[in-house]
C-alpha cells in the first residue's frame, strides 16, 4: 500500500534526543528549544517564537493573549481543522464562519467585511495547503476595524505572501509540527508573536501563568503566579527532534517541491480537458509543497476514485468537514449556507505526499488517476 503519509527522519533525531537527555535539561526551554527559537527568528525574521506542544496549544495561547471572552466574535473559515476555532470557543467566543473562495479552499476575503460587527475581535485566516490567503486585504480590514489577526499557519512553514514569510504578518501566528507536516516533531507547534504588546505575557501564559521565564533569566529573584496560563511548552526532547529536521529544511522542501511538480505535470492534462481541478496558487502566494490535492466533480465521483485508488494500493484521503455543519456547532451557526466550504468537503482529495515518495510510486498513483478518468 502506498500510504498517505510517512514521517521522514533525517537521521540526527535520535542523536540529538540522546544529547538532550545527557544534558540533563529535559524539561522545557532547554538548549534545543533555544536553538529552534533562534533558527526561526533568524530564518524568517519572526519577532519572537515560542515552541508549544501543538498548533492547537499555540492557538489557545493566542486566544488567552487576546483576552477573548464571552460575547466576542471571531471570523474564521468553515473549511478548517477544529482547533482553528475551538481555541476561541474555549474562551466563550462566538464563531462567525466565512465561506471558502472559489479558486481555492482559503476563506473568501471579499466576504469578511459584511460579517464584521461591533463584537468582532479577531480574524483567523487559515493558509490551506500552505497557500497564502490575501494578507494585504485581511490586514487592511483589521486596521480599519481595529481587529487582531491570528494566522493559522499550521500547514504553512516556509511559505510566503509576496515574499513575506507566512506567520510574520498577523499579530500572532500558529504553526504545527504534527507528523503530517513538512517539518515534524511527532506532536509539536509554535506561537509566533509579531506584536510587542504580547511579548511578555506570552511567556507567562506558556509557563502556567507564572513569571518563571524571567526568573530563569535572572530578571526577578523569585517567581510566582501573575496571570492565567497553562503548560504549553514542550520538553527539550521534542525540540531536539525538531532541530534535526530544521537543519534539513532546505533539502526537505526541495524534495517535496519536486514531488509536487511531478503530480502537477502528470495530472495537468486532466485539468486541461476539464475532468478535474488542480490546486490554484494566486500570484501573491507561493507553494511550500505541503500537500497535493485534486478537486473531483462530486462526492460520488470522489468516493469511486478513492475505491479505484485503493484497488491499486494507493491510500488517498479527503479532508475537513464544514465546521458550520458540525454536530457541535450546527445549532450555534446562523443558518447561512456556505456552499463552497461544503463543496470542498465533498470533492477535495489529498494524494499521498511524503519525502520518500518514489518516482515509481508517483507513477502508480498518477496512472491510476488517469485510468479512472479515461472512462469519464
Ligand atoms: C489548519 C490547522 N490548524 C490547526 C491544526 C492543529 O495542529 P496540531 O495537530 O499541531 O495541534 C491543524 C492540524 O492539522 C490544521 O490543519
Amino acid at each position: 500500500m502506498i500510504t498517505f503519509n510517512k514521517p521522514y527522519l533525517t537521521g540526527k533525531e535520535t542523536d540529538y534526543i540522546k544529547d538532550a537527555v545527557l544534558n540533563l535539561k529535559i524539561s522545557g526551554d532547554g538548549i534545543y528549544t533555544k536553538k529552534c527559537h533562534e533558527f526561526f527568528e533568524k530564518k524568517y525574521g519572526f519577532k519572537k517564537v515560542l515552541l508549544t506542544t501543538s498548533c492547537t496549544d499555540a492557538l489557545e495561547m493566542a486566544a488567552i493573549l487576546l483576552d477573548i471572552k464571552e460575547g466576542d466574535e471571531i471570523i474564521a473559515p468553515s473549511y478548517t481543522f477544529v482547533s482553528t476555532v475551538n481555541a476561541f470557543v474555549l474562551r466563550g467566543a462566538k464563531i462567525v464562519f466565512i465561506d471558502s473562495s472559489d479558486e481555492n479552499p482559503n476563506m473568501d476575503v471579499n466576504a469578511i467585511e459584511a460579517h464584521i460587527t461591533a463584537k468582532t475581535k479577531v480574524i483567523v485566516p487559515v493558509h490551506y495547503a500552505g497557500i497564502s490567503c490575501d494578507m494585504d486585504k485581511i490586514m487592511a480590514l483589521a486596521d480599519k476595524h481595529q481587529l487582531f489577526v491570528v494566522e493559522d499557519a499550521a500547514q504553512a512553514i516556509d511559505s510566503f505572501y509576496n515574499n513575506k514569510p507566512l506567520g510574520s504578518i498577523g499579530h500572532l501566528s500558529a504553526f504545527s509540527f504534527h507528523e503530517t507536516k513538512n517539518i515534524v516533531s511527532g506532536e509539536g507547534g509554535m506561537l509566533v508573536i509579531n506584536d510587542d504588546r504580547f511579548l511578555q505575557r506570552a511567556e507567562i501564559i506558556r509557563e502556567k501563568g507564572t513569571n518563571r521565564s524571567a526568573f530563569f533569566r535572572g530578571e526577578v529573584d523569585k517567581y510566582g503566579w501573575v496571570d492565567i496560563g497553562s503548560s504549553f511548552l514542550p520538553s527539550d526532547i521534542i525540540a531536539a527532534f525538531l532541530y534535526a529536521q530544521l537543519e534539513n529544511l532546505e533539502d526537505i522542501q526541495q524534495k517535496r517541491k519536486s514531488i509536487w511538480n511531478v503530480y502537477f505535470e502528470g495530472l495537468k492534462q486532466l485539468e486541461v480537458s476539464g475532468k478535474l481541478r488542480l490546486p490554484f496558487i494566486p500570484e501573491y502566494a507561493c507553494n511550500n509543497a505541503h500537500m497535493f490535492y485534486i478537486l473531483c466533480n462530486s462526492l460520488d465521483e470522489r468516493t469511486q476514485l478513492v475505491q479505484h485508488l485503493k484497488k491499486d494500493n494507493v491510500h488517498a484521503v479527503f479532508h475537513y468537514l464544514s465546521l458550520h455543519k458540525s454536530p457541535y456547532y450546527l445549532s450555534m451557526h446562523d443558518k447561512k449556507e456556505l456552499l463552497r466550504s461544503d463543496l470542498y468537503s465533498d470533492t477535495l482529495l489529498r494524494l499521498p505526499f511524503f519525502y520518500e515518495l518514489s518516482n515509481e510510486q508517483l507513477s502508480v498513483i498518477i496512472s491510476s488517476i488517469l485510468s479512472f478518468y479515461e472512462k469519464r
Side-chain angles (χ1 to χ4, degrees), residues 54-56 59 80-81 83-84 126 152 154-155 176 178 181 188 320:
S54 62
C55 179
T56 302
L59 288 160
T80 185
F81 194 66
S83 301
T84 309
V126 178
D152 183 336
Q155 306 170 10
S176 174
H178 179 261
K181 303 300 185 288
Y320 308 130

Side-chain angles (χ1 to χ4, degrees), residues 326-338:
S326 61
Y328 181 67
Y329 217 80
L330 180 65
S331 63
M332 291 176 269
H333 177 64
D334 61 11
K335 303 205 166 38
K336 247 186 230 124
E337 298 248 54
L338 303 175

Side-chain angles (χ1 to χ4, degrees), residues 266-280:
L267 296 172
K268 209 163 59 180
Q269 53 182 291
L270 293 177
E271 185 167 57
V272 172
S273 57
K275 299 220 171 151
L276 50 65
R277 281 170 63 199
L278 298 180
F280 174 76

